[in-house]
Each structure stands twice: as C-alpha cells, then as structure tokens.
Amino acid sequence: ARCRGKGHTCDARDVGEHARDAVDALVVDVDAAVELDVRPVLVRCPQALLFDVVLNLVNNALKHLRGQPVRVLRLEAKRIDDAAVLTVSDSGPGVPAEAVGSLGRPFYRVPGDRTPGTGIGLATVRRIVERHGGRLELGSQPAGGFFARVSLPAVDDASDFADRDAGDAPAALAPGKPPTTDRPSNVV
C-alpha cells in the first residue's frame, strides 16, 4: 500500500493509540483535566509521522492551557464515513478570528501571543496531513478555547499489509520507548 507523495510505504496505524500515548507523556506538566473519547480507527501513515501529528497538536493545546483558570484538554478519535477524524480541543484562550487563516503557515505566530513556540508545530501537522490525503481544520470554539481537527482517509483493516515481509510489519510506538514489533499497532 502506498500513500500520496514521494512513494513512501505507509502502514495502517491506530490514531487512538497515538493520542493516548501523547496525552500520557505531556499532561502531567500542566495539571489539566483530560477528556478522551478515542475509538480505534486506522489510517495509512508512517507511524513516526502520525505520532508527530498527534504530539504537536496535544503539545500545542497544553502550552495554551498553562496559566488558565480552567484547564481541559479534549481528544476525540473516530471514524466518520471514509475518514479517520482526530480532534484536539482545549479550554485555553482561543485564537482571534483574523489570525485563524494564517495558522499552519511556517513560523507564523499569533500577534501578541507570548506562549513559547516557533510557529513550526501546526505547519508540520498541516504538511504531514495534506501529504497523506487529509485535511487540517483549525479554529476557535464559540464557548472559548481552540480546536484542531485532522481528517485522514480511513482504512478498514490492516489485511492489505499481510503480503509484506515480516521485517516490514507495523510496529507499536510508546513515548520514551523504541518502536517494537511485539504486537500490531492496531491493537489497543
């Protein structure tokens, strides 16, 4: 199976597993409440790139929760029609409407935002998602806070990878650990 762009071979991956791993790795520093509604859904994307997408979105949300009186991080992963949809939202300050269209541009920073960062995270997410046939939607929520929604083409199962060599089998990834092949990544 091949994904779009430069002929990279992409394995089916469980978006929900990566979302849980990213939250576990980062949330302790912010003391935020976490709401998870993460259902298994598979996409064709290299494991490391998918993890980078999730990690960047979670890290971005948590950075903007620091110092807020209410700190809630919400992650939702589910299948909608033919798409795997991951939504990361927070109860942070949100983004002014006039800045939303510029988010995801390399090195763009919202004017007046003093949150640490370089403007690379959302640009990286956008590039990975679009190169794998997906789309990234960003914006402020009406009740306050920010959301990032990634939609990628969903895969029904990993059976189309069965003809690959054992050395190319999907590997599970957990924060702080090297990828392993002791269980398929689509098993939560």
Side-chain angles (χ1 to χ4, degrees):
R2 301 260 175 207
C3 59
R4 295 181 190 174
K6 300 195 181 193
H8 296 288
T9 301
C10 301
D11 298 330
R13 294 290 173 218
D14 182 341
V15 175
E17 179 179 340
H18 289 291
R20 283 189 292 275
D21 288 347
V23 169
D24 289 346
L26 297 171
V27 76
V28 292
D29 293 335
V30 180
D31 189 28
V34 177
E35 298 174 2
L36 292 174
D37 182 6
V38 179
R39 300 178 195 133
V41 60
L42 300 175
V43 297
R44 279 192 186 103
C45 186
Q47 177 175 328
L49 294 180
L50 181 59
F51 192 73
D52 282 349
V53 165
V54 176
L55 192 65
N56 270 301
L57 294 177
V58 169
N59 189 42
N60 191 60
L62 291 174
K63 284 192 302 189
H64 288 88
L65 286 176
R66 283 189 173 88
Q68 297 297 311
V70 176
R71 292 179 300 281
V72 179
L73 172 71
R74 290 176 202 85
L75 275 94
E76 184 178 279
K78 61 185 175 183
R79 184 176 179 138
I80 300 176
D81 300 323
D82 291 335
V85 179
L86 171 71
T87 304
V88 178
S89 60
D90 62 59
S91 62
V95 175
E98 62 273 8
V100 171
S102 297
L103 293 174
R105 280 192 356 230
F107 305 109
Y108 178 77
R109 304 270 299 146
V110 174
D113 184 3
R114 295 177 177 241
T115 305
T118 60
I120 294 293
L122 291 177
T124 299
V125 169
R126 181 175 302 283
R127 187 170 184 166
I128 291 169
V129 168
E130 288 176 353
R131 286 204 173 182
H132 290 85
R135 63 186 165 86
L136 175 64
E137 182 183 352
L138 305 167
S140 290
Q141 303 177 93
F146 182 77
F147 75 90
R149 184 170 299 116
V150 170
S151 299
L152 289 164
V155 176
D156 290 325
D157 60 47
S159 64
D160 59 337
F161 299 101
D163 60 346
R164 297 176 61 183
D165 295 334
D168 290 334
L173 179 70
K177 297 179 187 175
T180 64
T181 57
D182 59 344
R183 66 184 170 96
S185 66
N186 62 333
V187 176
V188 177

